[in-house]
Amino acid sequence: MSWDGYLNDHVVGSLIDKAVVIDVTGAAVWAKSNGAQISPDEMKTFASAFSDKSKAEESGVSFGGSKYFFTKLEDLTHESLPERTIPTLHVAKGKEGVVAAKCTQGILIAHYPEGVFFGDAIDAVVKNASHLVKNGI
């Protein structure tokens, strides 16, 4: 299975409607679900937010051409990988948002639509990020 297929089959669903995986430097897209778009500038902003959140706090973060406002950056764990924390960024606009989770070599970025509770979206992304970490991504 390609990582595009993984995103379409396992990440995108009732909670997440679009997702991408980029490398940790923000220089390359490794996988995209159907309908997901991300620009080179957007990738760099997500990647840099994990080492310095100040720009994301001040200016927000864009994904697919839409601007979202910084909510939080925190280290989370999932029961499938309790020995490792996953740095997780949450940005929102109204009742929709984006969750980004930094894995080992990549960053999973996922959009959730209006009507999805942000905590559920964060949990889903961290669960999938744990799977990616276990697979060397």
Side-chain angles (χ1 to χ4, degrees), residues 21-33:
V21 176
I22 63 172
D23 75 306
V24 292
T25 67
V29 174
W30 286 353
K32 281 194 312 188
S33 70

Side-chain angles (χ1 to χ4, degrees), residues 44-120:
K44 289 185 189 320
T45 301
F46 273 103
S48 66
F50 287 101
S51 58
D52 181 4
K53 65 181 181 177
S54 62
K55 183 178 176 186
E57 287 175 319
E58 294 170 14
S59 305
V61 178
S62 292
F63 179 72
S66 293
K67 185 175 181 176
Y68 298 86
F69 299 94
F70 179 88
T71 304
K72 60 184 169 181
L73 176 63
E74 60 188 337
D75 289 332
L76 299 174
T77 59
H78 186 264
E79 63 190 30
S80 67
L81 192 67
E83 69 278 3
R84 186 176 189 279
T85 61
I86 306 232
T88 307
L89 172 69
H90 178 249
V91 296
K93 173 179 70 170
K95 295 183 179 184
E96 67 178 274
V98 176
V99 180
K102 185 176 180 184
C103 303
T104 305
Q105 299 179 49
I107 300 170
L108 172 61
I109 304 169
H111 176 269
Y112 64 90
E114 190 171 326
V116 172
F117 176 63
F118 74 90
D120 292 339

Side-chain angles (χ1 to χ4, degrees), residues 6-41:
Y6 174 80
L7 293 178
N8 286 318
D9 295 343
H10 299 284
V11 178
V12 173
S14 62
L15 299 174
I16 303 300
D17 61 357
K18 295 176 249 185
V20 299
V21 176
I22 63 172
D23 75 306
V24 292
T25 67
V29 174
W30 286 353
K32 281 194 312 188
S33 70
N34 296 334
Q37 297 296 321
I38 190 166
S39 74
D41 287 341

